[in-house]
Amino acid sequence: MSAPAHRYRPETELVHAGAMRTQFGETSEALFLTQGFVYDSAEQCEARFKGEEPGFLYSRFSNPTVAMFERRMAIFEGAESARATATGMAAVTTALVGQLKAGDHVVAAKALFGSCRWVVEDFLPRFGVPSTLVDGRDLEQWQKAVRPNTKTFFLESPTNPTLDVVDIAAVAKIAHAAGATLVVDNVFATPIWQSPLALGADVVVYSATKHIDGQGRCLGGIILASEKFIQDNIHQFIRQTGPSMSPFNAWVLLKGLETLHLRVQRQSDTAAAVSTALANHPKITRLIYPGRADHPQADVIRRQMRGGSTLVAFEVAGGDKAGTFRFLNALKLIRITNNLGDAKSLVTHPATTTHQRLTPEARAELGISDGLVRFSAGLEHPDDVVTDLVTALEKV
Ligand SMILES: *Cc1c(COP(=O)(O)O)cnc(C)c1O
C-alpha cells in the first residue's frame, strides 16, 4: 500500500491525508474488518513482533483502517502521532492514566464534561493521584494549585455547557514552568477552529463521537501528541489494556473527516444566526456565544480560535425548570438529547442531564442554572432552526 507524502491546505488534507490504497485501486478508503493478520513465513512473523519489519499485527493495537484515521487526524492537527480509541472517554482516560502513577498530582479546570470530571475528581484519587480543581479562567488559581509532584494539567475550552474560554497558551506556560504536561479536550472548539498543540499544549484529545462523526452514528476518540509522548505513555497502554477503536468506526469517522470542514462552518454560521436572533429576545436573560463581541473572554477567543462555535448557551427567562421544560417541549424541529455536534439541531438541559450528578452548589458555581439550555446547531436551513426556537419561546 502507498500513502501520499505531499502537504496540501488543511481542507484538502481532511479528504486525502493518510489514505492507503490496496492493489485494487479503490477510490474510497478500504474497511479492513479483520481481527488479525497472517504472515508469509514464521521469520516474517518474528520480525513483525520484534518491530524489525513494519506491518500490522493485531487489531487491538494496529489496523490499516484505524491507522488511516489516525494519520489523517495527525496531519490535520499538526501532531507527530495519534492513537484512536473506542470512545472519547477512553481517549481522555488513556491520555491521563497513561502518563500518571501513584504519588503524582493533577490540576484540572472545574468546568469539565461530566465524565471527565468524574475521572479527575473520583477515579484518579483511588489510585493515589489526588487532583485540584480550579476555575480555568483564573490563571492565578492554576499557578497556586501547583505542587512539587504535579504531573499534568487538564482542561477543555470552550467549556461544557457554559462556553467559557480558557487561555490555553497561558496555562501551558504555567504547566511547563512546573514541569507538568497540558492535556486539552478540544471537542467543543473542534480541530477546525482551534489547534491546542500550536498554542503550547502537549496532548489533544477528542470525542470523535461529536463533530468528527457528525451524523450521530458511532462512538470514537483520539489522542494526538508528539511521537515520544505516544511511545512513552500511550502506545503500550492501548496495546496491553485494549481501549481500541473498531475498524468499522474508524472507517465511518474517516468519511466524517471528509466533510468536517463544511459541516462545522455551516453549523457555526447557524449558531451565530441563533445567537443574533436570541441575544436581545425578551424571553432570554443571558446568552453566551464564543463568536460574539460580548463574550466575557472575547480577547482570548480572538487570540486562540479561528471561528466561533457550533454551540450556543442561553438562559430562559424565569430561570425555573418548569418554564424551561415548557420551552424545550414546545420545540418541533430541534430535538431534546444530551449529545452534540450532530447533523440534527439538538438541545440539552444540563442541570437535569449531563450535570445532574453535581450538587446544586457545584452547579451554581459553574453557572448551570435550571434555566440554562445548550443548543447544538445542525445542518438544517438556519431560518427553520431560528423559527423553531423563537416559536417555542412563546410558551415560556
Ligand atoms: C462527549 C464528550 C466526551 C466523551 O466522549 P464519548 O465519545 O461520549 O465517550 C468528552 N469530552 C467532551 C468535551 C465531550 O463533549
Side-chain angles (χ1 to χ4, degrees):
M1 298 197 293
S2 61
H6 299 291
R7 290 303 310 266
Y8 298 100
R9 287 172 182 77
E11 298 88 330
T12 308
E13 300 287 17
L14 282 175
V15 181
H16 291 279
M20 296 186 281
R21 265 192 193 103
T22 72
Q23 69 273 29
F24 301 116
E26 65 280 358
T27 310
S28 178
E29 294 73 8
L31 167 53
F32 290 92
L33 207 50
T34 181
Q35 297 167 343
F37 302 85
V38 296
Y39 311 95
D40 293 336
S41 65
E43 287 79 8
Q44 186 187 44
C45 184
E46 182 186 19
R48 289 265 180 97
F49 269 80
K50 283 184 171 165
E52 293 167 359
E53 182 193 293
F56 297 95
L57 294 165
Y58 188 59
S59 288
R60 189 189 321 116
F61 49 91
S62 63
N63 173 281
T65 310
V66 178
M68 286 191 265
F69 173 65
E70 291 168 341
R71 288 176 65 181
R72 187 166 296 175
M73 277 298 296
I75 288 170
F76 185 67
E77 190 77 39
E80 281 175 14
S81 192
R83 287 292 182 281
T85 53
T87 64
M89 282 321 302
V92 168
T93 308
T94 302
L96 294 174
V97 171
Q99 60 173 319
L100 293 165
K101 60 177 187 324
D104 289 339
H105 169 243
V106 174
V107 185
K110 309 183 170 137
L112 289 178
F113 182 75
S115 298
C116 295
R117 186 152 161 172
W118 182 85
V119 168
V120 169
E121 204 176 14
D122 298 276
F123 181 70
L124 293 178
R126 281 199 218 161
F127 299 91
V129 181
S131 53
T132 306
L133 294 178
V134 299
D135 180 336
R137 298 165 296 185
D138 184 349
L139 296 175
E140 218 168 283
Q141 289 194 25
W142 287 99
Q143 184 65 60
K144 280 202 184 123
V146 170
R147 299 181 192 171
N149 57 337
T150 300
K151 185 68 188 281
T152 191
F153 280 18
F154 178 50
L155 64 85
E156 57 179 71
S157 182
T159 63
N160 176 36
T162 49
L163 308 179
D164 287 319
V165 168
V166 180
D167 187 337
I168 295 172
V171 174
K173 269 207 195 102
I174 298 169
H176 295 157
T181 57
L182 171 62
V183 179
V184 175
D185 180 337
N186 206 37
V187 166
F188 272 46
T190 82
I192 303 296
W193 297 144
Q194 181 169 274
S195 305
L197 296 175
L199 295 164
D202 302 281
V203 185
V204 180
V205 290
Y206 289 100
S207 164
T209 312
K210 311 294 165 54
H211 304 84
I212 293 173
D213 176 342
Q215 292 162 75
R217 298 162 296 190
C218 58
L219 300 164
I222 192 159
I223 304 163
L224 302 116
S226 66
E227 184 63 39
K228 180 168 167 37
F229 185 91
I230 295 287
Q231 289 307 328
D232 291 352
N233 305 293
I234 304 300
H235 180 74
Q236 280 301 324
F237 184 88
I238 290 178
R239 176 169 179 154
Q240 312 297 355
T241 70
S244 324
M245 176 176 278
S246 139
F248 180 81
N249 288 5
W251 181 81
V252 173
L253 296 167
L254 263 170
K255 297 284 104 186
L257 287 179
E258 293 181 346
T259 57
L260 180 68
H261 185 263
L262 292 171
R263 288 184 287 104
V264 168
Q265 179 69 62
R266 166 69 167 215
Q267 289 167 325
S268 301
D269 291 348
T270 298
V274 164
S275 75
T276 303
L278 300 192
N280 299 311
H281 192 284
K283 298 277 177 70
I284 298 290
T285 44
R286 186 165 78 111
L287 181 138
I288 313 134
Y289 181 62
R292 284 176 65 82
D294 62 5
H295 189 285
Q297 292 94 37
D299 55 326
V300 180
I301 293 168
R302 263 192 303 278
R303 270 184 277 137
Q304 76 181 22
M305 295 183 74
R306 293 180 289 273
S309 173
T310 67
L311 296 137
V312 184
F314 55 84
E315 222 156 39
V316 175
D320 63 312
K321 182 175 147 184
T324 309
F325 274 22
R326 272 200 302 282
F327 159 69
L328 295 173
N329 293 336
L331 292 165
K332 295 256 180 327
L333 174 67
I334 302 167
R335 307 313 314 229
I336 301 167
T337 178
N338 48 304
N339 208 1
L340 61 101
D342 200 284
K344 295 174 173 64
S345 286
L346 307 171
V347 279
T348 303
H349 187 245
T352 54
T353 59
T354 54
H355 291 72
Q356 52 89 16
R357 193 181 67 80
L358 299 182
T359 61
E361 297 73 43
R363 276 199 297 275
E365 195 182 34
L366 295 173
I368 303 170
S369 68
D370 284 351
L372 186 78
V373 172
R374 184 188 77 194
F375 165 78
S376 167
L379 298 174
E380 304 91 345
H381 194 290
D383 294 352
D384 286 331
V385 174
V386 169
T387 303
D388 198 36
L389 289 164
V390 171
T391 309
L393 278 173
E394 286 166 16
K395 293 278 157 41
V396 175

